[in-house]
Amino acid sequence: MKDFRQRVSNYKNLELKMKKKIVILPGDGIGKEVTAEGKKVLEVIAEIFGHEFSFEEGLIGHEAINATGNSLPEETLSKLKNCDAILFGAVGHPKYDNDPTLKVRPEQGLLKMRKELGLYANLRPIKLFDELLSASSIKPEILKGSNILFFRELTGDVYFGEKGRKDEGATAFDLMIYQRYEIERIAHKAFKAAQTRKKKVTSVDKANVLESSRLWRETVQQVGKQYPDIQLEHLFVDTAAMKLIQNPRSFDVVLTGNLFGDILTDEASQIAGSMGMLASASIGDSVGLYEPIHGSAHDITGKGIANPLASILSVALMLDISFGMKKESEVIIKAVEQTLKEGFRTADIADERTLSNKILKTAEMGNKVAKQLRDKLALDSTVLQTASYNASIS
Ligand code: IPM
Ligand code: MG
């Protein structure tokens, strides 16, 4: 009996202190600058909670093309297949945007990675920090209280359908294609998430025009029957685009395809005040990938002024979703909130009321959040006690 108790308690200790291997893919542009701050926060969390995080880096995007000729080298891919989670920065370079004839492009690396790792569900939470109500171009009274979770399908649609040219290049096509199982698996994820939230799913399609959308709607309706506790609403994508800024509070979980999701989540980022604040998780068959929704932002690259909060909030998503570390995730969000409450801003979220000595550079913002975490946790020892409690009952 004593032996058994001993083993249980050893097991609990093991559970408390987790060992995780994280691959960091800084990618292009501001990707390097923001993932460095995400890593900083991971290191603080490991130190405070006693976890062991090891880090490896990989090449992707324009950087990888420069070094190897390939936007997602085999070496990177094999690292990704042998880790517990991925922290990703961004890919892209203006050189490719302005020359559509180039055959090798940074974005191909990102798309290949999504496909190869089976990352079919892209979660984009649109969470508005009250302190940033005035940073948005939408009226505060419309925005206040908005909280939307997007489920964007990520490995199908026009992104991966057959594409090509005919008529000696004068005609081009990208096939919009969906299979039932692809819709079913992400629909289940969206309905399950809604059960833990306000119990509403809005499925977005263009079923009045597109056959693939009719399959989408039919499939979502069928899956929805298994979740009688969830209110299911269908919107056409044009209407959804309008309603998002007309009445963002009417949304809870939004479920949509790859292309519509790409467009609607950029639009919805305005509900959160700035693209610089939005984190995302891509999950599916095995490992999870976490990244800001903003891109490589070459206009500000190297200036050290990019907002690292989306990367830091992506780390919070990683801890919660991939590692089940709810408390660790929560304290990061609290630390970000507190940093904003104290008036600190990066340039993109500053406004006329921001004091000039509170406008921080990228690394300074990372340091503020890290310090906030240390101070908060040092003062509030109950946080750690709760953390052990949660780990031991789960
Ligand atoms: C995104 C990006 C990518 C996409 C690009 C870089 C290929 O816009 O993650 O939203 O379209 O999926
Ligand atoms: Mg996009």
Side-chain angles (χ1 to χ4, degrees):
M1 187 63 193
K2 187 163 172 250
D3 205 2
F4 172 70
R5 251 189 257 130
Q6 185 64 44
R7 262 185 298 153
V8 170
S9 100
N10 286 346
Y11 175 61
K12 280 183 182 167
N13 285 338
L14 279 180
E15 231 188 12
L16 258 177
K17 298 186 191 301
M18 292 208 233
K19 244 187 180 169
K20 298 287 175 192
K21 187 151 117 192
I22 298 157
V23 172
I24 301 190
L25 301 176
D28 304 324
I30 58 168
K32 262 193 210 56
E33 299 162 48
V34 299
T35 49
E37 303 315 307
K39 183 180 177 196
K40 198 179 272 173
V41 166
L42 278 167
E43 283 168 339
V44 175
I45 289 289
E47 183 194 312
I48 297 175
F49 287 85
H51 300 306
E52 226 176 278
F53 295 153
S54 61
F55 301 96
E56 243 187 319
E57 281 209 4
L59 283 174
I60 189 167
H62 171 67
E63 293 270 320
I65 298 173
N66 272 350
T68 68
N70 185 341
S71 57
L72 183 66
E74 268 312 309
E75 199 194 329
T76 303
L77 201 51
S78 82
K79 282 180 190 167
L80 301 180
K81 287 182 176 165
N82 289 295
C83 71
D84 299 306
I86 305 162
L87 182 67
F88 173 62
V91 290
H93 193 277
K95 170 176 141 189
Y96 305 86
D97 299 344
N98 302 329
D99 185 356
T101 64
L102 285 171
K103 290 275 178 285
V104 181
R105 318 181 65 82
E107 290 80 3
Q108 290 162 342
L110 177 59
L111 299 182
K112 186 170 173 210
M113 175 166 69
R114 289 172 178 169
K115 197 71 174 177
E116 289 271 338
L117 300 176
L119 301 170
Y120 62 82
N122 185 208
L123 281 64
R124 297 188 162 182
I126 309 292
K127 177 175 160 38
L128 172 71
F129 289 95
D130 278 349
E131 292 71 30
L132 297 182
L133 262 175
S134 60
S136 173
S137 48
I138 307 172
K139 287 189 205 124
E141 63 269 29
I142 303 277
L143 288 182
K144 201 163 169 39
S146 305
N147 186 338
I148 309 174
L149 176 58
F150 274 86
F151 277 78
R152 168 192 175 195
E153 200 288 330
L154 205 59
T155 53
D157 205 340
V158 281
Y159 275 67
F160 293 94
E162 192 190 339
K163 55 182 80 230
R165 296 268 179 128
K166 351 187 244 198
D167 308 330
E168 291 163 357
T171 304
F173 60 92
D174 299 271
L175 183 65
M176 185 178 261
I177 183 165
Y178 264 119
Q179 289 176 264
R180 181 171 277 123
Y181 83 93
E182 294 176 308
I183 305 165
E184 279 170 353
R185 61 187 181 180
I186 188 163
H188 280 291
K189 286 208 184 308
F191 281 105
K192 288 200 174 105
Q195 286 179 322
T196 68
R197 298 171 48 100
K198 288 191 226 127
K199 300 199 165 31
K200 179 175 176 189
V201 169
T202 303
S203 173
V204 176
D205 60 35
K206 188 72 185 170
N208 50 349
V209 178
L210 304 171
E211 197 54 39
S212 53
S213 278
R214 285 192 274 271
L215 177 65
W216 181 278
R217 192 172 283 220
E218 177 188 309
T219 309
V220 173
Q221 277 166 348
Q222 275 162 7
V223 172
K225 288 194 187 123
Q226 298 174 42
Y227 302 87
D229 51 331
I230 304 299
Q231 181 199 346
L232 171 62
E233 155 188 85
H234 300 275
L235 289 181
F236 297 134
V237 62
D238 45 354
T239 313
M242 182 267 291
K243 283 206 162 168
L244 265 176
I245 43 176
Q246 182 201 43
N247 186 9
R249 275 194 299 268
S250 69
F251 293 91
D252 178 22
V253 171
V254 177
L255 165 64
T256 190
N258 205 344
L259 182 64
F260 299 154
D262 179 45
I263 300 166
L264 291 179
T265 52
D266 264 31
E267 183 194 356
S269 72
Q270 278 313 296
I271 296 168
S274 161
M275 221 112 121
M277 294 299 300
L278 290 186
S280 89
S282 301
I283 55 173
D285 296 336
S286 51
V287 67
L289 176 139
Y290 300 85
E291 61 171 307
I293 92 157
H294 63 68
S296 47
H298 280 269
D299 50 332
I300 57 164
T301 298
K303 296 187 180 159
I305 58 168
N307 184 349
L309 293 177
S311 184
I312 290 171
L313 292 169
S314 298
V315 162
L317 282 178
M318 175 193 290
L319 296 175
D320 180 4
I321 299 174
S322 278
F323 303 162
M325 299 178 182
K326 297 248 177 276
K327 198 76 222 175
E328 289 85 332
S329 171
E330 221 170 83
V331 291
I332 294 176
I333 298 169
K334 290 256 161 63
V336 168
E337 218 156 37
Q338 188 57 30
T339 307
L340 294 172
K341 265 199 191 113
E342 290 177 10
F344 295 104
R345 301 283 187 273
T346 41
D348 60 313
I349 48 173
D351 60 20
E352 65 283 352
R353 289 173 315 170
T354 312
L355 301 172
S356 59
N357 64 346
K358 294 209 164 174
I359 299 184
L360 303 183
K361 300 196 90 178
T362 312
E364 291 169 338
M365 184 54 105
N367 292 344
K368 266 284 175 263
V369 175
K371 182 170 182 316
Q372 200 65 251
L373 277 171
R374 283 186 220 274
D375 291 354
K376 168 95 186 106
L377 292 174
L379 279 177
D380 186 2
S381 62
T382 57
V383 169
L384 284 173
Q385 276 159 19
T386 326
S388 345
Y389 175 71
N390 284 348
S392 62
I393 57 168
S394 63

